[in-house]
């Protein structure tokens, strides 16, 4: 067995444009428009299908027949395998193919251009063919490549299509949304606030997270909340029976906050004594006490969200949500909530009233 050291040069490389092109062509190839059949006089049926994404940096062969294509002022090119180009020209001129791989002459290129122009007019009326192969209108950095499989004259061959990324993206974006059946999870939030990371890291069971300025909801009244899907949220009300009524449509979540308190504090059943400063520690000033990374992290605010439950819907159901829609928690409303930081549930607790403000007493901790 031979062992050798791998370097970065051993891995294939590509560009961000080409990766985006692969995605666009894959979406295009799933549509009915990715296949077509055109009838040509003297040639017969020409069947064309988008086969796969290609490498825009791959060189062309000298015998390949290359033409420029333009649409909306943006240029690309189409390249036919030299053998296929020769067979097509021979069929139109009524001569036997010579079987050689050579560049086409000027007259032969004109004949082939007429064939391609006919095919393009059948498939896309807004695309113009040019005898010039480039490079004056052609910018490889903006190009993605598709490999087309062409069946004609009883043979199969390949055609390379280099086009601007926006062409493929336009076709891909025109396809219908295909994520309608995907399950999407939404968060039903009562309140949110920010807390220094160091304070949140010291939370223990029995502590109460108090949301300043937020009154605790009444037991038999509808609770104000927001239903959030990713960066979007809608105001909602939760009934005692767990029925959720959307009172507004969806907006960016930053515009719909359950609460906007100035601060958040931790209160324990037992008072905590503040540690005394060592007498030997001299007072510090900004000049002789530079901040370190630990101090910065400890003071960094984290968002703590009181989540009363989650709603799982299909993608098409989420798309249909609007003001007045009714959902359900799947059961009666409870006082049990989760405390979420980011996308993770860090604690669970119960709603309490702390001096007239909404609080969540921690009964279980996670993520430590």
């Amino acid at each position: 067995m031979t062992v050798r050291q791998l370097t970065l040069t051993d891995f294939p490389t590509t560009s961000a444009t080409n990766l985006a092109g692969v995605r666009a062509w894959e979406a295009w190839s799933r549509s009915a428009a990715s296949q077509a059949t055109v009838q040509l006089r003297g040639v017969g049926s020409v069947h064309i299908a988008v086969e796969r994404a290609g490498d825009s940096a791959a060189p062309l062969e000298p015998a390949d027949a290359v033409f420029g294509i333009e649409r909306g002022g943006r240029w690309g090119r189409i390249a036919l395998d030299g053998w296929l180009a020769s067979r097509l020209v021979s069929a139109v001129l009524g001569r036997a193919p010579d079987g050689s791989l050579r560049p086409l002459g000027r007259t032969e290129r004109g004949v082939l251009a007429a064939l391609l122009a006919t095919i393009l007019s059948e498939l896309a009326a807004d695309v113009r063919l040019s005898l010039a192969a480039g490079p004056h209108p052609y910018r490889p950095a903006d190009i993605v490549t598709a490999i087309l499989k062409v069946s004609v004259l009883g043979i199969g061959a390949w055609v390379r299509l280099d086009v601007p990324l926006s062409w493929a993206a336009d076709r891909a974006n025109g396809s219908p949304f295909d994520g309608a059946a995907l399950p999407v999870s939404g968060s039903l939030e009562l309140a949110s606030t920010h807390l220094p990371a160091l304070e949140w890291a010291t939370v223990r069971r029995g502590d109460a997270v108090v949301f300043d300025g937020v009154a605790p909801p009444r037991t038999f009244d509808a609770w104000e909340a927001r239903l959030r899907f990713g960066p979007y949220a809608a105001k909602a009300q939760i009934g005692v029976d767990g029925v959720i009524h959307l009172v507004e449509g969806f907006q960016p979540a930053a515009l719909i906050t359950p609460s906007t308190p100035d601060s958040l504090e931790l209160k324990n059943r037992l008072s905590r004594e503040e540690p005394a400063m060592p007498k030997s520690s001299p007072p510090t000033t900004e000049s002789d006490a530079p901040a370190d990374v630990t101090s910065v992290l400890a003071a960094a605010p984290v968002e703590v969200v009181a989540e009363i439950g989650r709603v799982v819907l299909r993608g098409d159901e989420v798309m249909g949500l609007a003001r007045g829609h009714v959902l359900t928690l799947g059961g009666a409303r409870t006082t049990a909530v989760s405390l979420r930081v980011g996308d993770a549930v860090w604690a669970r607790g119960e709603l309490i009233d702390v001096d007239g403000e909404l609080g969540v007493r921690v009964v279980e901790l996670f993520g430590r």
Side-chain angles (χ1 to χ4, degrees), residues 93-355:
L93 297 179
R95 70 187 186 191
D98 55 18
S100 63
L101 275 178
R102 59 174 177 79
L104 297 179
R106 179 172 298 184
T107 301
E108 292 172 321
R109 280 181 57 82
V111 171
L112 186 58
L115 290 178
L116 292 178
T118 301
I119 294 175
L120 288 174
S121 66
E122 292 285 338
L123 301 180
D126 57 344
V127 175
R128 180 169 62 91
L129 183 73
S130 171
L131 287 173
H136 58 279
Y138 179 80
R139 297 186 297 274
D142 302 328
I143 295 298
V144 295
T145 298
I147 304 300
L148 310 181
K149 185 176 182 180
V150 178
S151 301
V152 59
L153 299 174
I155 60 175
W158 304 100
V159 172
R160 170 172 161 173
L161 190 62
D162 296 325
V163 300
L165 174 60
S166 57
W167 287 19
D170 290 345
R171 294 296 300 273
N173 293 336
S175 60
F177 175 66
D178 59 0
L182 291 176
V184 181
S185 180
S187 173
L188 199 60
E189 303 171 354
L190 282 182
S192 67
T193 191
H194 290 82
L195 173 72
L198 179 60
E199 291 188 50
W200 177 249
T202 62
V203 173
R204 299 193 302 267
R205 289 181 57 184
D207 288 345
V209 179
V210 181
F211 296 83
D212 293 347
V214 181
R218 296 179 179 273
T219 304
F220 298 105
D221 291 345
W223 292 359
E224 301 291 335
R226 70 175 181 182
L227 179 60
R228 179 170 180 170
F229 289 94
Y232 296 94
K235 288 185 179 180
Q237 292 183 340
I238 313 170
V240 177
D241 53 0
V243 174
I244 305 165
H245 295 266
L246 295 187
V247 297
E248 288 186 2
F250 282 87
Q251 301 180 47
L255 302 179
I256 306 176
T257 55
S259 62
T260 54
D262 296 328
S263 63
L264 181 150
E265 59 180 330
L266 298 175
K267 299 182 180 180
N268 195 272
R269 296 173 185 164
L270 301 177
S271 61
R272 289 179 176 173
E273 293 184 0
E274 294 293 333
M277 290 291 291
K279 295 182 179 180
S280 59
S281 300
T284 59
T285 63
E286 293 184 2
S287 60
D288 59 9
D292 57 65
V293 175
T294 303
S295 300
V296 173
L297 177 60
V302 295
E303 185 183 27
V304 182
V305 178
E307 181 182 276
I308 194 170
R310 301 192 71 84
V311 176
V312 180
L313 302 173
R314 295 195 314 270
D316 55 348
E317 293 175 328
V318 175
M319 293 174 65
L321 290 179
R323 178 180 178 180
H325 274 73
V326 177
L327 305 171
T328 179
L329 279 174
R333 186 183 67 192
T334 70
T335 59
V337 297
S338 299
L339 291 177
R340 196 184 73 242
V341 176
D343 292 330
V345 174
W346 278 65
R348 287 198 174 94
E350 58 184 0
L351 296 177
I352 59 174
D353 184 330
V354 182
D355 298 329

Side-chain angles (χ1 to χ4, degrees), residues 69-76 126 128 137 139 164 167:
I69 50 176
E70 181 266 338
R71 180 181 135 198
R74 294 169 294 181
W75 283 86
D126 57 344
R128 180 169 62 91
R139 297 186 297 274
W167 287 19

